Amino acid sequence: WGPDSLFSLPQLYESALTENQKLKTKLREAQLELADVKSKLEKMAQKQDKTADRSSVLEMEKRERRALERKMSEMEEEMKNLHQLKQIQTLKQMNEQLQAENRALTRVVARLSEAIEGSDPQGL
């Protein structure tokens, strides 16, 4: 995370925000797709006789529901990871600011020490 870095922290932050928005959009789309699949499967189930066909439709519904729920869980996990990345980036920025302040204070102390030594040539 020095001056040689390929990306600056604001760029990484913007990238994380963009990725977060993409994941939120994908999650919304998956939720809509899940609702649509549920609706379609319910309509299909209503049209089917209470025979073996109905059980195969219900099994298909269960499989699709499980697949979509897994997909939603994965997206939620990715969103958590992005949130953690944002927190790490914020802490790194704060750390860099504190390091800069520390260097500035060190320079001030060094100058004050030089001034004290220069004004008292005989020592204490």
Side-chain angles (χ1 to χ4, degrees), residues 30-88:
Q31 289 169 335
L32 290 173
E33 184 179 343
L34 177 60
D36 186 49
V37 167
K38 283 181 181 179
S39 174
K40 287 178 182 177
L41 287 171
E42 286 174 12
K43 288 177 185 176
M44 288 174 61
Q46 289 171 358
K47 291 179 183 177
Q48 295 294 324
D49 293 332
K50 294 181 180 182
T51 61
D53 289 342
R54 180 166 172 80
S55 66
S56 67
V57 168
L58 292 174
E59 190 60 37
M60 183 178 73
E61 176 186 20
K62 288 178 186 177
R63 279 195 305 271
E64 287 190 20
R65 184 180 298 156
R66 282 192 298 264
L68 287 170
E69 287 171 352
R70 278 193 303 272
K71 186 175 180 180
M72 286 174 53
S73 293
E74 290 170 4
M75 289 178 172
E76 287 170 353
E77 188 62 33
E78 287 181 38
M79 288 176 66
K80 287 179 192 174
N81 291 339
L82 285 175
H83 180 68
Q84 291 171 349
L85 175 63
K86 181 180 171 185
Q87 288 177 328
I88 289 169

Side-chain angles (χ1 to χ4, degrees), residues 1-7 96:
W1 291 105
D4 299 337
S5 295
L6 293 175
F7 298 103
E96 288 175 3

